[in-house]
Amino acid sequence: MRELQISERTRIKNHPERAVPEEAAEILSAGFVAHVGFIEDGLPYVIPLSYHYDSEQPDRLYLHGSIRSRALEILASGAPVCVTVTLTDGLVYSRKAMNHSMNYRSVVLFGTAREVTGHDEKFALFDQMVQRYFPDRLLERDYNPPPASDLGVTALVEVRIEEWNAKARRGGPTGPDDDRPNAPGSAGYTTFREL
């Protein structure tokens, strides 16, 4: 894969110390929902979609949905796309209201898409997607292969990633009294595994 460069549009401006571009592939591999941004008739839209990402093909991301999906129809035409994937790891609470936050990892990427139309390619990608979301399920043991009619009513687009960046917030609160155990109030953080 070619090296994905950071450009002005992917440079992290707010808290640049949180930039973690080296974690982008890992974050995309762990996520489940992609928020897909596109323009139609001069208006912006953002739609949540399930997606497939495989670090073996790190410059591609696949989106799927109904063939009636406006988003996928526009993307399949080669329109530019922005995709965001966020993993929310926990909540951060502070003694100061403004310093409440959350710990997260996110990727923002830009690219263009093409429609995937070949039956065999669609079948293989959908099977990989099932394996990614449900790693213990096996084709023909746990579920039947999709008939051609199912593949025909499901749109699949491949986003060729042109550039990306990743950002992460980790750790505890940063309020002025948060490191003082005797200060009024409470401060700390919790992971979603603890909630």
Side-chain angles (χ1 to χ4, degrees):
M1 173 183 153
R2 71 195 187 290
E3 179 86 19
L4 291 173
Q5 301 297 317
I6 306 299
S7 74
E8 188 57 28
R9 74 177 173 171
T10 55
R11 182 175 63 83
I12 305 224
K13 298 172 182 124
N14 189 29
H15 288 291
E17 73 280 5
R18 295 181 182 165
V20 289
E22 69 281 1
E23 294 181 29
E26 178 185 336
I27 294 166
L28 292 175
S29 294
F32 292 106
V33 178
H35 286 87
V36 180
F38 60 96
I39 302 290
E40 181 185 35
D41 298 328
L43 297 174
Y45 294 89
V46 176
I47 306 293
L49 294 171
S50 60
Y51 71 96
H52 177 64
Y53 179 80
D54 181 352
S55 60
E56 296 294 315
Q57 290 187 304
D59 62 345
R60 304 200 184 156
L61 181 132
Y62 296 89
L63 303 165
H64 89 288
S66 168
I67 58 170
R68 295 177 301 211
S69 166
R70 169 180 54 188
L72 295 180
E73 181 180 336
I74 290 169
L75 297 182
S77 74
V81 60
C82 176
V83 178
T84 301
V85 172
T86 302
L87 307 175
T88 307
D89 297 320
L91 299 176
V92 179
Y93 52 98
S94 171
R95 289 179 170 87
K96 185 176 178 185
M98 183 178 147
N99 290 95
H100 284 70
S101 188
M102 47 177 85
N103 286 336
Y104 64 88
R105 292 164 287 151
S106 66
V107 172
V108 175
L109 66 87
F110 296 92
T112 54
R114 73 166 180 95
E115 184 176 12
V116 176
T117 57
H119 178 277
D120 293 342
E121 186 180 11
K122 280 177 89 169
F123 178 86
L125 285 163
F126 286 141
D127 189 50
Q128 290 171 27
M129 185 179 279
V130 169
Q131 293 304 308
R132 182 168 113 58
Y133 282 83
F134 303 96
D136 295 331
R137 294 181 59 81
L138 294 176
L139 180 65
E140 296 186 2
R141 184 191 78 189
D142 298 308
Y143 63 97
N144 298 322
S149 59
D150 287 357
L151 293 178
V153 297
T154 306
L156 180 66
V157 296
E158 173 191 81
V159 176
R160 293 190 179 257
I161 302 169
E162 296 165 358
E163 55 185 300
W164 67 12
N165 205 345
K167 185 176 181 181
R169 192 223 188 264
R170 296 178 169 104
T174 59
D177 293 328
D178 290 339
D179 58 353
R180 291 181 43 225
N182 295 332
S186 61
Y189 66 96
T190 184
T191 67
F192 279 121
R193 283 176 250 129
E194 297 169 336
L195 293 176

